[in-house]
């Protein structure tokens, strides 16, 4: 068994370790990551358990939170280090939103004095915060939040009310049982005037007893698909107060006598959200990497059906063309998302630079692109994890495969930080505006340059003449650009015609949504392919460049074939080019096969993180499955609890049967 | 809140109850179902609990098994009744495979004497059986099973051995802790000759102590994604014996002196599998019905975003075109699968009749069609449940939505009873043979009549000229037929050319798999659309026929648009017909919207079965969510278990921090 993967690794066309360095930001950074992840793996506090009930699992999660904080302090971990350690801990923690959104909001929306006051407290856990935006009745529509913060000039305080059942905060991570403070998003009321939703830091628990403060009703919202190590909570506020300076005042402020001062630019508070979204794209890659590692390694160990009559030797399931067709595009996608994540971080850094110099030009594009990328990468990853699980046959259904939990913990990424359908509408709004700019010959942002020749798309045709032509990155990008421009034109016409027919712009937008989403998906597809292709040009080592180009081809061509109608509908591509496209894809699958295990090895995911009987580095799958079954609590007793009460009465014909009811 | 659904129900274009009768097989049968389901719902043994650990959950599952048996006996339930009661119990039970595959195998493969001996014992639970086919190393490839049964003529017994780690039985439901007997599939060895895999009834536990018999090593395989109320088990046999007459001998037999007598027809043992598959298609519909009921009702209650500046009234999310586009095709699919299930049961009954008269003509087609239908309906349903969950936004991630458990319990249907990719290959083999028959002008089975004009497909064109033309069932079927025939031709050519290039038939089949699967999916798409269209002709009431026709249109047109490239690639459809197709689909969405809630109501799923805070009949979603949160064990104490040990030390700056490690 173990021999299977040794042989697979010998067939690598490239230096696996060098690819790990390329992905991981260099030798030093990778070694630092491995050093930290090893500390986590060896720490008994971070052991993984399979059989805890909710209360026990939550208590263990708190223990991990504390241990994480201890490590962070002892080792003086920086931001990079913290990401490494958290990814090694590989579990949601009750303090994740304290470390994340709570602190980010202070960083992004607090004044310098507020940052000086709150950040040190947060850093040393003197307070534990959470991000309390969503309510029972409102998630996507933040402007519809009902919680109110009324200013009381006499005491210089805000007074919070939850005016209805649906106004309860509902979902904030860490709120239920852990947080002492909440970043509460509430409608600011000044002298009866509603100034819309703003963030305030509200203390919700007593610092001595940890009991909810008077007027605070708080708890956990219940068992979830996953994430049960996090106490997503509810919160009702009745006459709860906070000092005036607890309102985050970098952009809007309330003076001591209750005057409101407006923000200079109404999109400024997007900064925090965009950082988060850049990391969401990286996380999509990281999660898909895990799923693909498990399925590819297992596929190289699992043998099923002999391919010659009478032969005892069976075929590795990874050698079935269909298994390759299901898995290798996901392998390519995991790489594509990684490079797209790098592209986004760069975009975000550029944005930060521009914003600090008062330049807001790039903001709309970054917001639109990050929204669309978040939607597409999370959907693709959620579906991809489940495909990988199905590719493991029956054993993929065991928790010990590592895939069920990976899925349940990942899928909410499609919903939190913005429901994906709602986000794609942000992308669509930007694209419609860019289309109008293009028609008016105004300058276009980098990602939508393809709209500049919107007038000439009708005549454009795919230039492929032979199968090999499909491996030309320019040919691939031309197809993506053409499709995006065409669908933008189609969408623009659709919305226009709805408005002409008398609908309001909002109504027109809603009824055109199917087209608009198609357009937005096409745009994002182009951005990802473009990021991947660009990244390859920067790779110095020839062996890595070659294998990455192959994956990039597969990503681009598979995406085109998967959304093929978009390219056929206007006869941009012909039937014979389609046939060549399919041949090109199969050539990619064949070329990637010898590198498949090396390519997942390059992700350098440790057995501790994979936590998978099927995805182990040594391929010793069957012994691992046995080991795991041994630990099942039901196997503690030879005769199961319930035998005497339920099984034996049946076998012994002692089930009391009343006279027939009917 | 509750008012929302009352209004929705008023807009029904049809009599909801009459549709329930149509789906449920008439008034009497529906009332019987509701009567039985009500008994289950009121029985405290069948209450649903959310917070049990594995051992506790399993014990409760045994209790439900016993109670089910009690009801079955008391009320003398027939097959139909049993399905109703089991669907109301709505949980996997440790005895499910006893009632199912164990008994079916005796029915299908036992002789009359064997049936007389075993079935009464099974019926009164004097023994509890399971279906032990899959091994750790072999699931899909049943011929590769390693367990051996060697005949010992001296004692007239078979002697069972598990010769390797991978030969352990692994997965059989009920095997781990419950079953006293197993239907063991093992290689029959007679005087050193291997006669392939056959089923034998082997006793594995002592009838007095329930302990494993000598030589039997048995237990539970561990925690799973779902199905944890079932003790899927492992089994190793060392010199375990069973009497000769425990081999199921309807088709193959071993004489007392150890002679093997062959089956007359090698496909006969497919009978059991085909019954199971017919029910799998019904179950796909039943599961999709549940998910769609929850998402549609919640969508009619949930409001998010006002569509006019300044307005307080927000839009129902079900009124967003995109939400309709995600949900209504699934609603249509739930109906399509129901009628396809009825079609399959009829096919199966015809098959039974034919087989009993020694006519095997239809067997190949029924096997191929049922294989393909099983694959497509289970995949579509698994994906559909998750889409419905995502359509419920954040609250869909709560277990109390009912959707997480529905998903985890449903997804293994894509794997058990045959991995879907492996099954589609069965369909493909049949289609390739039918194609050869068509080319040789041999008679074709009913479902592949479309191959009869294989020679003329090149010139066929879609005849749509106006949007309304797409609502012509003949136009829809023509498109499905054309696609299926064309893809069969493409696949046939591909396999031929691979063979011409020197590959073995098996190799040629493997490398052509992507095309073959596309062809098989197309065939199944045609069968489903055809079943739905046929069923509508038989509906007598005009109101029901009209609304079903609308759903059928949506099903057919959405399927075409979803797999559009198949219809564009050879220019069967034009760009302008595609545009009309999209318009036709949007017209369907608009027409279905007022009937959406009535159409899910017609499934008549009780609140007990839905077990969903979001899908309740009365629409009182937000109160239900509150109720449920109250029951969360974490909320028992105001200050959570773990505060003293983990939270307080952080807040109080008492976490012991060693001097920096680095
Ligand atoms: C695990 C998890 C953790 C979370 N953590 C936090 C946290 O720490 N803090 C916090 O404040 N919140 C948190 N949330 C809440 C989360 O941000 C919201 O659930 C999310 O924003 C979705 O909003 P919603 O639930 O209102 O969805 P809804 O908007 O109600 O969506 C329901 C359906 O309606 C559709 N829809 C809605 N509007 C439109 C439209 N205009 N057009 C078309 N379709 C539409 C959606 O696509 C979806 O299908 C968390 C949620 C989860 C699941
Ligand atoms: C919940 C559950 C309950 C079960 N209950 C029972 C039970 O009661 N009794 C019992 O005997 N068994 C049971 N099983 C086992 C089940 O029947 C097998 O798991 C199933 O048949 C799949 O087989 P496998 O695991 O060997 O998959 P594999 O064949 O190993 O599949 C792994 C991957 O290889 C691919 N693959 C395999 N062969 C080919 C090929 N020729 N061409 C292309 N791709 C291929 C598959 O598509 C899949 O992606 C159960 C399983 C589950 C999950
Ligand atoms: Ca043409």
């Amino acid at each position: 068994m173990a021999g299977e993967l040794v042989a697979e690794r010998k067939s690598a066309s490239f230096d696996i370790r060098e690819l790990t360095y390329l992905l991981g930001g260099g030798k030093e950074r990778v070694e630092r990551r491995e050093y930290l992840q090893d500390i986590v793996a060896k720490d008994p506090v971070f052991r993984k358990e399979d059989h805890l009930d909710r209360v026990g699992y939550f208590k263990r999660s708190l223990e991990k939170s504390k241990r994480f904080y201890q490590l962070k302090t002892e080792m003086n971990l920086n931001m990079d280090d913290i990401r490494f350690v958290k990814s090694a801990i590989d579990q949601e923690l009750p303090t994740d939103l304290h470390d994340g959104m709570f602190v980010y909001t202070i960083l992004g929306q607090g004044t310098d004095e507020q940052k000086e006051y709150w950040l040190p407290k947060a850093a040393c856990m003197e307070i534990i915060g959470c991000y309390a935006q969503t309510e029972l009745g409102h998630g996507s529509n933040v402007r519809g939040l009902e919680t109110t913060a009324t200013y009381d000039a006499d005491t210089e305080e805000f007074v919070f009310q939850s005016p209805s059942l649906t106004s309860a905060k509902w979902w904030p991570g860490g709120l239920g049982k852990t947080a002492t403070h909440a970043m509460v998003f509430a409608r600011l009321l000044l002298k009866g005037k509603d100034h819309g939703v703003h963030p305030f830091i509200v203390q919700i628990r007593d610092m001595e007893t940890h009991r909810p403060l008077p007027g605070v009703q708080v708890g956990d919202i219940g068992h979830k698909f996953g994430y049960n190590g996090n106490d997503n909570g509810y919160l009702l506020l009745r006459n709860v107060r906070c000092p005036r300076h607890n309102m985050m005042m970098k952009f809007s402020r309330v003076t001591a006598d209750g005057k409101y001062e407006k923000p200079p630019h109404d999109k400024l508070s997007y900064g925090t959200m965009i950082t988060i979204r850049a990391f969401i794209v990286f996380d999509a890659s990281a999660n898909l990497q895990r799923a693909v590692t498990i399925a590819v390694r297992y596929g190289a160990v699992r043998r099923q059906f002999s391919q010659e009559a009478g032969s005892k030797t069976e075929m590795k399931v990874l050698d079935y063309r269909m298994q390759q067709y299901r898995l290798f595009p996901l392998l390519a996608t995991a790489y594509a998302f990684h490079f797209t994540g790098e592209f986004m971080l760069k975009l975000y850094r550029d944005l930060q630079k521009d914003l600090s110099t008062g330049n807001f030009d790039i903001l709309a594009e970054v917001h639109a692109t990050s929204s669309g990328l978040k939607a597409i990468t999370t959907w693709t990853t959620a579906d991809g994890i489940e495909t990988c699980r199905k590719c493991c046959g029956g054993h993929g259904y065991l928790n010990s495969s590592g895939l069920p939990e990976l899925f349940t913990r990942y899928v909410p990424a499609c919903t939190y930080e913005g429901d994906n359908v709602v986000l794609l509408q942000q992308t669509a709004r930007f694209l419609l505006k860019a289309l109008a700019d293009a028609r008016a010959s105004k300058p276009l942002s980098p990602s939508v340059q393809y709209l500049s020749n919107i007038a000439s798309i009708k005549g454009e045709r795919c230039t492929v003449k032979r199968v090999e032509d499909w491996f030309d990155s320019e040919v691939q990008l031309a197809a993506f650009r053409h499709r995006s421009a065409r669908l933008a034109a189609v969408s623009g016409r659709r919305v226009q015609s709805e408005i002409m027919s008398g609908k309001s712009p909002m109504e027109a937008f809603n009824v055109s949504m199917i087209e608009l989403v198609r357009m937005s998906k096409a745009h994002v597809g182009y951005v990802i392919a473009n990021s991947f292709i660009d990244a390859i040009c920067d790779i110095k080592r020839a062996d890595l460049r070659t294998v990455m180009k192959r994956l990039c081809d597969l990503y681009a061509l598979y995406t085109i074939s998967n959304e093929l109608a978009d390219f056929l509908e206007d006869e941009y591509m012909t039937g014979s080019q389609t046939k060549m496209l399919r041949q090109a894809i199969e050539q990619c699958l064949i070329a990637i096969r010898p590198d498949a295990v090396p390519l997942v090895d390059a992700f350098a995911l440790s057995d501790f993180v994979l936590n998978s009987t099927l995805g182990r580095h040594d391929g010793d799958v069957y012994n691992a499955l046995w080991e795991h079954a041994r630990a099942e609590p039901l196997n503690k007793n030879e005769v199961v609890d319930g035998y005497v009460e339920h099984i034996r009465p049946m076998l012994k014909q002692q089930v009391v049967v009343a006279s027939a009811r009917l």
Side-chain angles (χ1 to χ4, degrees), chain A:
Chain A
M1 202 59 53
E4 304 277 22
L5 294 186
V6 173
E8 291 280 348
R9 290 179 175 123
K10 288 210 179 111
S11 64
S13 72
F14 61 93
D15 185 314
I16 298 177
R17 193 69 186 163
E18 285 294 335
L19 181 52
T20 301
Y21 295 153
L22 176 75
L23 292 175
K27 181 166 187 292
E28 251 177 69
R29 191 160 173 264
V30 166
E31 286 175 351
R32 174 75 180 165
R33 180 180 77 201
E34 291 175 335
Y35 170 77
L36 290 170
Q37 296 196 331
D38 199 46
I39 289 177
V40 170
K42 292 201 172 115
D43 190 328
V45 171
F46 294 122
R47 74 187 176 277
K48 291 173 181 175
E49 285 150 307
D50 197 21
H51 302 290
L52 299 168
D53 66 9
R54 177 83 206 275
V55 174
Y57 183 60
F58 185 71
K59 187 172 179 177
R60 284 278 291 123
S61 303
L62 285 172
E63 187 184 5
K64 290 182 183 181
S65 268
K66 184 180 67 173
R67 187 87 189 104
F68 162 72
Y69 169 67
Q70 211 168 7
L71 277 181
K72 183 178 125 180
T73 317
E74 280 186 16
M75 301 184 65
N76 193 18
L77 302 179
N78 65 20
M79 288 286 285
D80 234 14
D81 290 339
I82 287 175
R83 276 188 68 80
F84 294 153
V85 169
K86 282 222 165 162
S87 81
I89 293 177
D90 183 41
Q91 192 207 295
E92 67 284 357
L93 297 179
T95 46
D96 278 347
L97 280 113
H98 167 82
D99 298 330
M101 289 299 278
F102 179 73
V103 167
Y104 293 159
T105 308
I106 299 172
L107 275 170
Q109 304 195 47
T111 60
D112 288 345
E113 304 88 277
Q114 288 178 316
K115 285 189 228 172
E116 266 164 50
Y117 180 81
W118 291 106
L119 292 177
K121 284 192 184 335
C124 73
M125 306 303 273
E126 196 178 309
I127 61 170
I128 300 177
C130 67
Y131 183 83
Q133 176 173 302
T134 305
E135 295 173 356
L136 188 56
H138 289 91
S140 300
N141 180 16
V142 177
R143 289 191 196 170
L145 293 176
E146 296 176 80
T147 306
T148 58
T150 307
Y151 186 61
D152 178 349
D154 295 343
T155 58
E156 281 197 44
E157 286 173 323
F158 294 104
V159 186
F160 292 82
Q161 304 291 0
S162 305
S164 64
L165 181 73
T166 47
S167 76
K169 293 295 172 189
W170 189 280
W171 273 113
L175 169 64
K177 293 285 149 186
T178 310
T180 58
H181 289 67
M183 183 68 73
V184 172
F185 285 72
R187 316 194 73 78
L188 171 64
L189 300 183
L190 296 174
K191 308 200 175 90
K193 185 164 185 318
D194 182 336
H195 291 273
V197 174
H198 292 73
F200 306 79
I201 295 182
V202 181
Q203 184 181 339
I204 55 174
R205 290 181 173 269
D206 182 285
M207 299 310 291
E208 270 314 309
T209 65
H210 206 62
R211 292 197 182 282
L213 292 177
V216 171
Q217 191 181 339
V218 64
D220 182 276
I221 59 172
H223 214 217
K224 303 177 296 277
F225 203 4
Y227 256 79
N228 290 302
N230 195 316
D231 49 330
N232 296 91
Y234 61 80
L235 175 71
L236 284 169
L237 300 170
R238 296 200 185 78
N239 291 315
V240 175
R241 290 170 168 255
C242 81
R244 178 175 67 96
H245 57 251
N246 281 23
M247 173 178 163
M248 294 292 100
M249 294 212 195
K250 181 167 173 186
F251 301 119
S252 312
R253 37 202 320 134
V254 172
T255 60
D257 58 343
K259 290 232 169 57
Y260 183 67
E261 295 176 357
K262 270 225 184 71
H265 188 287
D266 73 347
K267 284 221 184 71
L268 274 181
S269 41
Y270 283 124
T272 312
M273 203 189 287
I274 292 171
T275 335
I276 302 278
R277 290 212 190 122
F279 283 111
I280 285 182
V281 173
F282 265 114
D283 281 342
S285 174
N287 279 273
L288 199 49
Q289 286 176 24
R290 280 177 65 167
V292 170
T293 299
I294 295 168
V296 165
R297 284 185 183 160
Y298 179 62
V301 170
R302 179 73 171 178
R303 291 175 175 272
Q304 203 74 195
F305 295 104
S306 69
Q307 293 301 300
E308 287 156 62
S311 161
K312 277 260 157 195
T313 312
E314 291 174 276
M315 182 116 133
K316 289 184 172 189
V317 299
L318 199 60
D319 286 324
Y320 288 111
R321 184 62 51 86
M322 195 63 204
Q323 187 84 350
Q324 296 168 359
Y325 188 63
R326 293 160 82 194
L327 288 178
F328 294 173
L330 290 172
L331 174 63
T333 303
Y335 276 91
F337 288 178
H338 171 84
F339 292 113
T340 306
E342 299 209 327
F343 161 79
M344 275 194 78
L345 274 194
K346 189 178 162 308
L347 206 63
Y348 171 70
R349 288 198 199 99
D350 292 350
L351 173 70
Q352 292 295 71
K353 236 177 288 164
D354 286 2
L355 291 184
S356 66
T357 63
N359 177 350
F360 303 120
D361 294 351
I362 197 184
L363 188 60
E365 175 177 12
V366 172
H367 176 60
T369 301
S370 72
S371 297
L373 279 169
K374 186 272 184 185
I376 299 305
T377 57
T378 55
W379 267 337
T380 306
T381 299
D383 290 349
I385 294 170
E386 177 58 12
T387 298
C388 288
R389 199 192 60 70
K390 289 196 181 85
C391 280
C392 294
H395 303 332
Y397 192 67
L398 284 168
N399 279 1
S400 77
S401 73
L403 292 163
E405 202 197 342
L406 191 63
F407 181 79
T408 58
R409 200 191 318 160
Y410 188 74
V411 285
C414 300
T415 305
Y416 60 54
E417 303 304 336
D419 172 273
N420 285 352
V421 168
V422 175
L423 287 179
L424 284 173
Q425 298 179 28
Q426 313 276 8
T427 314
R429 280 201 186 87
F430 168 77
L431 292 173
L432 288 179
K433 185 170 173 314
L435 179 72
D437 288 348
R439 292 238 154 92
S441 303
K442 287 193 191 151
L444 296 169
S445 318
S447 75
V448 286
Q449 281 301 326
Y450 59 75
L451 292 172
S452 60
N453 60 343
I454 188 84
S456 62
I457 50 172
K458 249 203 154 44
E460 288 175 355
R461 288 291 176 270
C462 175
T463 58
V464 166
K465 294 201 175 49
R466 294 160 316 161
V467 175
E468 309 83 86
D469 295 341
W470 275 118
F471 300 127
D472 180 340
S473 301
E474 263 315 305
V475 166
Q476 297 162 6
L477 284 175
F480 281 109
R481 281 195 205 101
H482 170 82
R483 169 178 68 156
S484 292
R486 180 178 75 83
L487 292 180
V490 168
S491 289
R493 273 199 301 275
R494 169 76 189 259
V495 172
Q496 271 312 309
S497 81
E498 296 290 351
I499 290 177
M500 299 293 284
S501 80
K503 294 202 174 63
S504 72
M506 257 180 140
E507 227 177 325
F509 194 75
N510 172 31
V511 299
S512 310
M513 194 59 65
I514 300 171
E515 292 297 343
L516 294 171
V517 165
R518 217 152 56 99
M519 164 185 74
S520 302
K521 281 186 180 172
H523 172 73
V524 173
Y526 163 69
V527 169
I528 298 174
N530 198 35
S531 305
F532 200 171
I533 290 170
D534 271 357
I536 289 172
C537 304
D538 300 337
I539 298 175
K540 298 201 178 50
R541 287 182 60 110
D543 60 341
L544 302 187
R545 208 167 46 241
T546 305
V547 67
M548 286 298 108
K549 172 68 167 70
R550 207 167 276 156
L551 281 177
C552 184
D553 284 338
L554 179 60
Y555 177 79
L557 301 179
Y558 181 83
T559 303
I560 294 174
S561 84
N562 211 20
E563 294 153 19
L564 188 59
D566 286 351
F567 301 88
L568 288 172
E569 191 182 348
D570 70 331
E571 306 195 355
Y572 176 76
M573 278 170 60
T574 64
S576 85
Q577 287 169 332
T578 302
K579 202 172 156 185
M580 290 175 202
L581 175 72
R582 295 215 170 90
Q583 288 172 317
I585 290 173
E586 293 205 30
Q587 288 181 14
C588 288
L589 299 178
I590 294 167
I592 289 167
R593 172 65 187 91
D595 279 331
V597 170
L599 280 167
V600 301
D601 281 355
F603 296 140
L605 293 161
S606 70
D607 280 349
F608 177 81
V609 164
L610 288 174
N611 196 26
S612 169
T613 46
L614 308 184
R616 299 161 55 104
H617 188 268
D618 68 6
D620 195 6
V621 165
Y622 296 118
N623 279 310
L625 285 166
W626 270 110
E627 279 304 301
H628 209 272
R630 209 154 292 157
E632 165 58 44
L634 272 185
N635 293 334
K636 279 224 182 88
N637 305 318
E638 245 188 353
V639 176
V640 75
D641 185 18
Y643 166 70
V644 173
E645 299 91 330
H646 308 304
I647 299 180
R648 188 176 173 85
M650 284 194 279
L651 291 171
K652 293 296 170 188
Q653 309 295 298
Q654 291 161 346
V655 174
V656 180
V657 174
S659 55
R661 297 195 195 189
L662 223 174

